[in-house]
Amino acid sequence: MSHNSFGHLFRVTTWGESHGPAIGCVVDGCPPRIPLTEADIQPWLDRRRPGQSKFTTQRQEPDRVKILSGVFEGMTTGTPISLLIENTDQRSRDYGDIATRYRPGHADLTYDLKYGVRDYRGGGRSSARETACRVAAGAIARKVLGPDVVIRGALTRIGVHAIDPARWDWSIVNENPLFCPDAATLPQWEDYLGEIRKAGSSIGAVIEIRAEGVPAGLGAPIYGKLDSDLASALMSINAVKGVEIGDGFDAATLSGEDNADAMRMDGGVLSFGSNHAGGVLGGISTGQPVVARFAVKPTSSILTPVASVSREGENVDVMTKGRHDPCVGIRAVPVGEAMMACVLADHLLRHRAQNG
Amino acid sequence: MSHNSFGHLFRVTTWGESHGPAIGCVVDGCPPRIPLTEADIQPWLDRRRPGQSKFTTQRQEPDRVKILSGVFEGMTTGTPISLLIENTDQRSRDYGDIATRYRPGHADLTYDLKYGVRDYRGGGRSSARETACRVAAGAIARKVLGPDVVIRGALTRIGVHAIDPARWDWSIVNENPLFCPDAATLPQWEDYLGEIRKAGSSIGAVIEIRAEGVPAGLGAPIYGKLDSDLASALMSINAVKGVEIGDGFDAATLSGEDNADAMRMDGGVLSFGSNHAGGVLGGISTGQPVVARFAVKPTSSILTPVASVSREGENVDVMTKGRHDPCVGIRAVPVGEAMMACVLADHLLRHRAQNG
Amino acid sequence: MSHNSFGHLFRVTTWGESHGPAIGCVVDGCPPRIPLTEADIQPWLDRRRPGQSKFTTQRQEPDRVKILSGVFEGMTTGTPISLLIENTDQRSRDYGDIATRYRPGHADLTYDLKYGVRDYRGGGRSSARETACRVAAGAIARKVLGPDVVIRGALTRIGVHAIDPARWDWSIVNENPLFCPDAATLPQWEDYLGEIRKAGSSIGAVIEIRAEGVPAGLGAPIYGKLDSDLASALMSINAVKGVEIGDGFDAATLSGEDNADAMRMDGGVLSFGSNHAGGVLGGISTGQPVVARFAVKPTSSILTPVASVSREGENVDVMTKGRHDPCVGIRAVPVGEAMMACVLADHLLRHRAQNG
Amino acid sequence: MSHNSFGHLFRVTTWGESHGPAIGCVVDGCPPRIPLTEADIQPWLDRRRPGQSKFTTQRQEPDRVKILSGVFEGMTTGTPISLLIENTDQRSRDYGDIATRYRPGHADLTYDLKYGVRDYRGGGRSSARETACRVAAGAIARKVLGPDVVIRGALTRIGVHAIDPARWDWSIVNENPLFCPDAATLPQWEDYLGEIRKAGSSIGAVIEIRAEGVPAGLGAPIYGKLDSDLASALMSINAVKGVEIGDGFDAATLSGEDNADAMRMDGGVLSFGSNHAGGVLGGISTGQPVVARFAVKPTSSILTPVASVSREGENVDVMTKGRHDPCVGIRAVPVGEAMMACVLADHLLRHRAQNG
């Protein structure tokens, strides 16, 4: 049991605070003889990196990953892979306010309630910076899964504006800073987010992650279900408040007839008429695309003052100055993909263990 | 690691199939010297039992729990508590169809894809009957949590009909067979479900679970978050397709101002102006009620034939005759409560371990 | 984490007290499609059963195992296998003394110190009766390993009398009640034990377990070493005080030259000149026989009074009347074999997970 | 489950190879608000460091530990503590021989058999250098245990020369390079080891670790026994072939009368007449000193050629040139202490979780 580890056979342990010397992770259980260099990991980190558009925080971090162990002559050895990312943008500043006042909606309060102490610099351990480690681990998980498993994500909603799934176009997702899959919605989002940013406000979002090429049979009854582990993985991302598989909450409104995924043999191959189930039945993958969605709340770091309390028990108002992320959901896309990759890699090994 | 265990320090392992001789569970890690008898567990099982109204399956199971170990002279001893529930309604019938044809939307297909074999009698291991063990374990978890932690659930939606939260009335929830908290919505649901039942159709539902009196500080960053573990626990229940904490997916539509839970000191006690967060910040409980919601899909056991395939790879049509559950979400209420109880009990012990 | 579970992928959870209604275990993670019936398990239990000679306790338990789940039509399904053994010889007696006085060398004292309560009937959870579950699980583990892996054990020492390894003869081990592999030593042991039994005394023993046909590559650095897991498994058996792999403590007396296991290719096959290492190097199996040895202390249930204390803190003398086991090490042979089988089965699955 | 993690609630994950850029570990689950700086860890590392006498390898490593996370303003925060030790003595050399020839008795062969690849530089992951991480983690474990728990170790045997326990003197142990507790034996050992070193040979050793002040009640039945976890911990140290608790293998030669630890109340306090049990009964600590012993084999790196095989399957002879450790058991003393500390800290938290 570990609060800072994830997965069972493909097991990721992360460590580090926002403003300490470095953050990092240890990936244990990776199969041997997989070609791996830092160049396999860095592009995924670059995609998550802040400061690449006006819609994300202007914090500048090169996020250069170093492999410290577990790889020899460009190949995994089966021993733990230690990854390290130095923190370089530890801009000297006064944390006085955050140190003594709890930002509403942040983990400031609860860390103090739990531990009686916290590293308040830049959010400390609760900083979204930790998700860089997830992305790095996810890059390795993709190598374990191999090229046939394709994991992609996109934003499907920012605040009140949802995309039209009928216009979904994967080819534009990585070409715009909002990971928007709907060309018609993109300009709408840009205007909307621009207003929010100028107002010093923030807004929530929904992200969809889709894994194609997942072999049938991954997952396990009863408490090792693939969707159960996905729910845990996605809910563990900062600011996530909801997770869906397949039709998700919409399934609650459907009749059995409308929710049924008809099956047919098609040239000796099993095919489905629809994918309401999101690729998972009874906790086990069907071979259809695995589809998950998660909701990210608006960051509570806003310019409008909010009533709060101080460490000393005084009533105070808190407003957040300085660098600002109007929609933290944007950068959650690569993180969600990485968590999907880690869950699938773990279940691939788990399946192989029991079923040979 | 175990596919059939749940929790870390309050650890539940379940076993058994729908139509084997018995089902059961082992609860390990329970603190010693807690008064416990079968009478503490049975009422919760009775609440989950099918056949109590026309809206649930007519299968009749007394579901009598026996304590086989871990309790001595009415007191837990700190050693594993083994619970056993005999299967009595194993009505002799012909399973021929189910044995060879996959019911769309069921785990029939995926168990076969994964294991190459399955116990097809009544769903085997994937039967909702397994949830009786969760409810039994949940009864013990409630004892661990003590009387100050109150965990209650209700249905908030059946198909297209949602309750009005403003009319929420806990006092009626256990007085109606639909666990409906809204007196005005109840007759509407009864008519609606009656129609669905007559048509041999089925419908989805949403359940809300609320835990009051949860001490602040439960949960842990980063992969031991309270909400992450709740998501896993609730998603592991049969037919669940979505999980939310607090405002859930609605949070994606809100601005930072509207989503903020203002804090104030009120007579030396921390109070909150709202609970958008659902009682969890940064994965750790705030002391506010912990609020979770989950969506249950309509059962795919319907009278309308659905296209499917057989084990031998032939195209077939499948329709479900016999006992029938028009809304499996109803019986999910006690199960959801039990999972909430188990997660909280586990985190209570985990918190105590690290923080004394 | 569970105090009452063992193994990771082949995972055994045991429950039950000596004098409750039953004991049992849940075996999770067993591969599917392995033929398995109660007749595969019962012979191993019969071997462990007490009351079969004058040298073991006269307690009479048929130890009939029932499979309650996880097997369908004679084949494992990949879901948890629940095994149950009813306690039948719960002879009505007065436990008054044991209830209030701590038997020196027993777990009586420590259970009370830890939990503040204990089931004192027949030792409760600390009874050697729990090892029946290990033997049952071990029978399943043997099926997972397949017929090429042969696991056998024997006593190599009773008190001051050790066998001569040069006279080792497997063919006689199961033909005598002392699992003695040395025909010349057997009568010596019988006389020796007869004296000890008559005197109401007890004596320690050493058991050797040998697994042949173990494939190379099982085990893992650093904390998943095969020998480390064997040490844990064997030390967890009641009354065990020492564990050795290969030459064990004798290796401490050797020079590097004398301890070296020379290697040669022999017709394209790797062969070894000796097996000081006991089949494990760097925590990973070499393909040579895996050899482990463990020491069992004499039971403290003796007729001679020993100074002790009562629950109320009074000085008392404790002597054990009634059924008596002069050498508990004898019945540890099948238990040690079972633990070896469980460790190897677990590592077989673990190896397969990472290395395909 | 993780092959490179140890402990459950006080959980240590190590990573790194002998000749990579660094080694390190992550300690998760450490309680918050414990004062901790690098100066608390460094002295223990210095004690383990090679090159401090002619009796250990001349490899020179400063082994300077850096804390990268989990500590804020000199205090643990409850989040993971990442420790890093740079490898500085990566002397450029030709590994050609080791790369292609298996050193008998080393993990060279088995890593290759398991993974099909290995980092052969200086032993790679199987190098004793990994134990520096254990020592660092052990230093933190000592802080968790507090000053009342005193953990000390000493050598009790080198080859054929054992100390006389009657002459045990803790005050000299850290004053001599052989951790010898017996002033009369020390010169004998020095001569003996000098001969072995000159001959390019090596020799085994036995180490005893003793923990005083351990509270009663630590450990748990059945598979979480304190002695079972100690056995696993000590057996996981490089080159260890045997582990004993209390009287260990000698207990096999004793009668119940001679092995009994009589108890008496002494001024309201429980006292014992002896400690054959080594402080553990039924897997749970009694409050007496916890005593463990382990045997270390002679290193197989010797000047005498030994028959072996190459990666290509040719018969070769292997001899080890260069830096040389005549008795690797010496440096195992601080490592054994560290493992004892980690096991006890883990069980302290586990006990607190269940028993408050």
Side-chain angles (χ1 to χ4, degrees), chain D residues 40-349:
Chain D
D40 292 310
I41 304 171
Q42 194 61 50
W44 304 103
L45 283 169
D46 292 348
R47 240 175 116 225
R48 190 209 74 102
R49 208 174 59 213
Q52 302 189 89
S53 83
K54 62 183 173 183
F55 301 118
T56 57
T57 174
Q58 295 308 301
R59 179 171 169 146
Q60 294 291 338
E61 291 279 6
D63 281 354
R64 293 233 72 85
V65 68
K66 285 186 209 164
I67 299 177
L68 296 184
S69 69
V71 176
F72 183 60
E73 296 179 345
M75 200 103 91
T76 60
T77 61
T79 61
I81 303 169
S82 175
L83 303 178
L84 186 124
I85 300 169
E86 284 176 25
N87 290 331
T88 56
D89 184 24
Q90 305 165 46
R91 127 182 355 190
S92 129
R93 54 176 284 199
D94 177 13
Y95 288 100
D97 265 18
I98 292 177
T100 56
R101 298 171 168 215
Y102 302 120
R103 290 169 295 174
H106 268 264
D108 296 350
L109 172 76
T110 49
Y111 273 58
D112 238 355
L113 287 172
K114 183 176 189 74
Y115 299 119
V117 59
R118 74 190 163 97
D119 179 347
Y120 47 74
R121 299 166 304 164
R125 181 72 181 142
S126 72
S127 164
R129 186 146 179 67
E130 186 270 344
T131 59
C133 296
R134 303 176 185 232
V135 171
I140 301 178
R142 288 180 194 258
K143 301 281 277 187
V144 172
L145 292 166
D148 291 345
V149 179
V150 175
I151 299 166
R152 295 181 291 192
L155 255 76
T156 60
R157 170 185 290 279
I158 293 183
V160 295
H161 300 290
I163 61 146
D164 178 351
R167 291 194 298 250
W168 194 292
D169 177 3
W170 279 116
S171 73
I172 67 164
V173 171
N174 286 321
E175 305 304 314
N176 70 77
L178 303 183
F179 299 108
C180 178
D182 173 1
T185 297
L186 179 57
Q188 194 182 25
W189 282 3
E190 288 174 329
D191 291 351
Y192 183 58
L193 265 186
E195 294 301 317
I196 286 164
R197 190 174 64 87
K198 272 181 230 148
S201 181
S202 65
I203 193 72
V206 174
I207 293 96
E208 181 169 316
I209 310 291
R210 198 169 269 268
E212 289 164 280
V214 178
L218 302 197
I222 297 291
Y223 304 107
K225 286 180 175 168
L226 185 60
D227 38 0
S228 174
D229 282 353
L230 277 172
S232 173
L234 297 174
M235 192 67 93
S236 76
I237 301 171
N238 308 44
V240 173
K241 302 304 285 185
V243 177
E244 296 181 320
I245 305 295
D247 279 8
F249 276 85
D250 280 354
T253 67
L254 296 179
S255 70
E257 292 77 10
D258 291 338
N259 187 59
D261 294 320
M263 295 187 273
R264 275 290 175 254
M265 293 308 292
D266 188 2
V269 176
L270 179 67
S271 74
F272 292 84
S274 54
N275 189 13
H276 296 285
V280 185
L281 285 176
I284 300 172
S285 63
T286 61
Q288 283 203 287
V290 175
V291 182
R293 226 166 291 103
F294 58 101
V296 177
K297 71 175 182 182
T299 177
S300 42
S301 299
I302 49 177
L303 279 177
T304 308
V306 181
S308 184
V309 299
S310 72
R311 255 205 137 193
E312 286 69 37
E314 293 163 332
N315 288 329
V316 294
D317 279 353
V318 169
M319 60 174 285
T320 306
K321 286 160 284 188
R323 295 175 297 187
H324 180 74
D325 230 338
C327 179
V328 288
I330 299 171
R331 289 202 287 135
V333 173
V335 181
E337 290 176 6
M339 295 313 283
M340 171 71 85
C342 287
V343 168
L344 291 174
D346 190 38
H347 272 285
L348 186 74
L349 304 189

Side-chain angles (χ1 to χ4, degrees), chain B residues 202-252:
Chain B
S202 65
I203 193 72
V206 173
I207 292 95
E208 182 169 315
I209 309 291
R210 197 170 271 267
E212 289 164 280
V214 177
L218 303 197
I222 298 289
Y223 303 106
K225 286 181 174 167
L226 185 60
D227 38 0
S228 174
D229 281 355
L230 277 172
S232 173
L234 297 174
M235 192 67 93
S236 77
I237 301 172
N238 308 42
V240 173
K241 302 304 286 184
V243 178
E244 295 181 321
I245 305 295
D247 279 8
F249 277 85
D250 281 352

Side-chain angles (χ1 to χ4, degrees), chain A residues 38 47 63 85 99 120 166 174 191 200 294 308 310 321 345 347:
Chain A
E38 287 153 1
R47 240 176 115 225
D63 281 355
I85 301 169
Y120 48 73
N174 285 322
D191 291 349
F294 59 100
S308 185
S310 73
K321 285 161 284 190
H347 273 284

Side-chain angles (χ1 to χ4, degrees), chain A residues 73-249:
Chain A
E73 297 179 345
M75 201 101 90
T76 61
T77 60
T79 62
I81 302 168
S82 174
L83 304 177
L84 186 125
I85 301 169
E86 285 178 23
N87 290 330
T88 56
D89 184 24
Q90 305 164 46
R91 117 175 16 182
S92 130
R93 52 176 287 198
D94 177 14
Y95 288 101
D97 266 17
I98 292 176
T100 56
R101 300 171 165 214
Y102 301 121
R103 290 169 296 174
H106 267 265
D108 296 350
L109 172 76
T110 49
Y111 273 58
D112 238 354
L113 287 172
K114 184 177 188 74
Y115 298 118
V117 60
R118 73 192 162 93
D119 180 347
Y120 48 73
R121 299 166 304 165
R125 181 72 179 141
S126 72
S127 164
R129 187 146 178 68
E130 186 270 345
T131 59
C133 296
R134 304 178 185 230
V135 171
I140 301 176
R142 287 180 194 259
K143 302 281 276 186
V144 172
L145 292 166
D148 292 344
V149 179
V150 176
I151 298 167
R152 295 180 291 191
L155 255 76
T156 60
R157 169 186 290 278
I158 294 183
V160 295
H161 299 290
I163 61 145
D164 178 351
R167 291 194 298 250
W168 193 294
D169 178 4
W170 280 115
S171 73
I172 68 164
V173 170
N174 285 322
E175 305 304 315
N176 70 78
L178 304 181
F179 299 109
C180 178
D182 173 1
T185 297
L186 179 57
Q188 196 182 22
W189 281 3
E190 288 175 328
D191 291 349
Y192 183 59
L193 264 187
E195 294 301 316
I196 286 162
R197 191 174 63 86
K198 275 182 229 149
S201 180
S202 66
I203 193 72
V206 174
I207 292 96
E208 182 169 315
I209 309 292
R210 197 170 270 268
E212 289 163 282
V214 177
L218 302 198
I222 297 289
Y223 304 107
K225 285 180 175 167
L226 185 59
D227 37 1
S228 174
D229 282 353
L230 277 173
S232 173
L234 296 174
M235 193 68 94
S236 77
I237 301 172
N238 308 43
V240 173
K241 302 305 285 184
V243 177
E244 296 182 321
I245 305 296
D247 279 9
F249 277 85

